[in-house]
Amino acid sequence: MKPVLYIVIPCYNEEAVLPITAPTFKEKIESLASRGLISGESRVLFVNDGSKDKTWDIICDLAKSDPIFKGISLSRNKGHQNALLAGLNEASELCDISISIDCDGQDDINAMDKMVEEYLGGADVVYGVRANRETDTFFKRTTAQGFYKFMKLLGADVVYNHADYRLMSAKVLKELKNFKEVNLFLRGIVPLVGFKSTCVYYERKARLAGKGHYPLKRMISLALNGITSLSIRPIRIITALGFIVAVISLVGIIWSVAVTLMGKSVAGWASIVSITCFLGGIQLLSLGVIGEYIGKMYLEVKGRPRYIIEKRTEEEV
């Protein structure tokens, strides 16, 4: 029996690019079905993440024009990761496999053919991995690659140069629901689910239309969220640093007492100021990192819903 595929696409203020990329998603579904790789019941599922433009109206028009298109709309903007999770959870009861992808046309849609083939070959998770970052600016390329290396250094199990372009089987989607984190970082959570996985490499293109929604501020926020959601190694680094500073301080105390007893001490403010600033900086940095973890705990224990679905295209048609 041929698997039912749902392409899950989070959308936020994408009225400029959606009319361009939506037909390509439809063509890909039809192409895969004609090759006998997927079922003709496969669908494209858009997730409107509280857009302020005409994105939801476009999704509704697409659903009215062709049953291959479906859509859900969140009650407010909840962020890319929550919108993606909403779509995956919605699709989990309807599909055999899902492929998540952004709607900006940057990820190579033709990589889906290889993804489905890998699934049919036994893989439950297929990661779409960028072969290179030649289309990125020097700053973005450097920071992005540094981020993945830093995540690995801190013990987070992430796939290098992989964002959220991936295939997952219904089995994986079912287990993914057991992860209840409010602070979502799916790039790190999906590898924790396990199951057989592989990678498909592709070339990333420039955005077809509209503006990107990941400025530096949001990229830093995503990085901090990923680090603090997946690893406690920063806390352990603070502990180790505290131990080292304590040892150095002990040596300094012994040295100062010895110098005083020998009558060779010289009054000076430079050393006092330097030591005070150093210790103060270490303490404030440590408190900041610990506070970030406490803040995450505060948000998690509230148990608030990660998203609320306000509308479905079936209700609008």
Side-chain angles (χ1 to χ4, degrees):
M1 188 174 179
K2 299 172 185 176
V4 175
L5 165 66
Y6 266 58
I7 301 178
V8 179
I9 308 164
C11 306
Y12 177 67
N13 292 345
E14 301 289 4
E15 65 177 3
V17 75
L18 199 51
I20 301 173
T21 56
T24 66
F25 294 127
K26 176 186 175 182
E27 291 170 6
K28 179 52 62 178
I29 289 279
E30 293 173 342
S31 172
L32 290 169
S34 66
R35 292 177 56 196
L37 295 177
I38 63 173
S39 166
E41 297 299 313
S42 300
R43 296 289 183 265
V44 178
L45 176 63
F46 296 106
V47 183
N48 176 43
D49 184 23
S51 298
K52 298 176 182 177
D53 60 5
K54 297 181 180 179
T55 296
W56 179 242
D57 294 333
I58 295 172
I59 293 172
C60 289
D61 290 340
L62 288 169
K64 291 175 183 177
S65 66
D66 196 317
I68 202 170
F69 295 112
K70 301 180 68 173
I72 59 175
S73 182
L74 304 189
S75 60
R76 54 160 294 189
N77 177 248
K78 295 295 290 184
H80 179 272
Q81 297 291 283
N82 286 294
L84 178 54
L85 182 69
L88 294 173
N89 286 344
E90 184 80 2
S92 64
E93 304 297 329
L94 306 170
C95 69
D96 298 303
I97 50 175
S98 73
I99 295 179
S100 57
I101 187 173
D102 291 337
C103 71
D104 54 19
Q106 290 188 273
D107 294 318
D108 183 8
I109 195 172
N110 293 317
M112 290 186 184
D113 299 66
K114 182 63 174 175
M115 287 181 172
V116 174
E117 290 171 359
E118 291 288 352
Y119 164 76
L120 296 174
D124 284 297
V125 182
V126 184
Y127 299 102
V129 179
R130 295 181 62 171
N132 58 65
R133 287 185 169 269
E134 294 178 357
T135 58
D136 289 347
T137 63
F138 173 79
F139 176 77
K140 186 173 182 180
R141 179 169 60 252
T142 303
T143 54
Q145 292 177 337
F147 163 71
Y148 286 107
K149 292 176 181 177
F150 188 55
M151 290 288 288
K152 281 285 189 182
L153 181 66
L154 292 180
D157 186 14
V158 294
V159 178
Y160 187 73
N161 271 343
H162 162 71
D164 288 297
Y165 186 19
R166 70 179 74 85
L167 177 148
M168 289 186 286
S169 69
K171 180 165 53 175
V172 176
L173 292 176
K174 178 181 177 182
E175 297 303 327
L176 184 62
K177 288 183 177 181
N178 293 324
F179 289 75
K180 305 298 183 181
E181 287 101 316
V182 173
N183 302 284
L184 280 176
F185 187 69
L186 292 172
R187 302 178 201 182
I189 292 176
V190 172
L192 295 178
V193 178
F195 297 104
K196 183 179 178 181
S197 65
T198 188
C199 296
V200 168
Y201 295 88
Y202 69 95
E203 302 289 338
R204 187 172 170 87
K205 299 172 287 186
R207 186 181 176 90
L208 295 180
K211 297 180 179 179
H213 304 298
Y214 263 90
L216 179 61
K217 181 180 178 181
R218 291 190 66 181
M219 290 176 63
I220 293 174
S221 177
L222 179 67
L224 288 174
N225 199 34
I227 292 168
T228 55
S229 297
L230 296 171
S231 173
I232 61 169
R233 190 165 292 179
I235 297 290
R236 291 176 177 170
I237 291 174
I238 287 175
T239 303
L241 185 60
F243 177 77
I244 292 171
V245 171
V247 171
I248 294 174
S249 299
L250 178 62
V251 172
I253 291 171
I254 295 172
W255 173 79
S256 62
V257 170
V259 169
T260 301
L261 292 175
M262 289 186 293
K264 297 181 180 180
S265 61
V266 178
W269 61 270
S271 59
I272 296 175
V273 171
S274 299
I275 294 172
T276 302
C277 290
F278 173 71
L279 292 177
I282 291 295
Q283 289 171 346
L284 289 175
L285 176 62
S286 301
L287 287 172
V289 174
I290 294 170
E292 187 71 23
Y293 278 92
I294 293 174
K296 290 291 188 298
M297 291 168 58
Y298 172 70
L299 293 174
E300 292 290 344
V301 298
K302 283 174 177 286
R304 290 176 178 173
R306 292 175 287 190
Y307 58 85
I308 296 173
I309 298 176
E310 180 182 15
K311 303 172 185 175
R312 291 178 170 83
T313 48
E314 298 94 305
E315 302 164 356
E316 302 287 314
V317 176

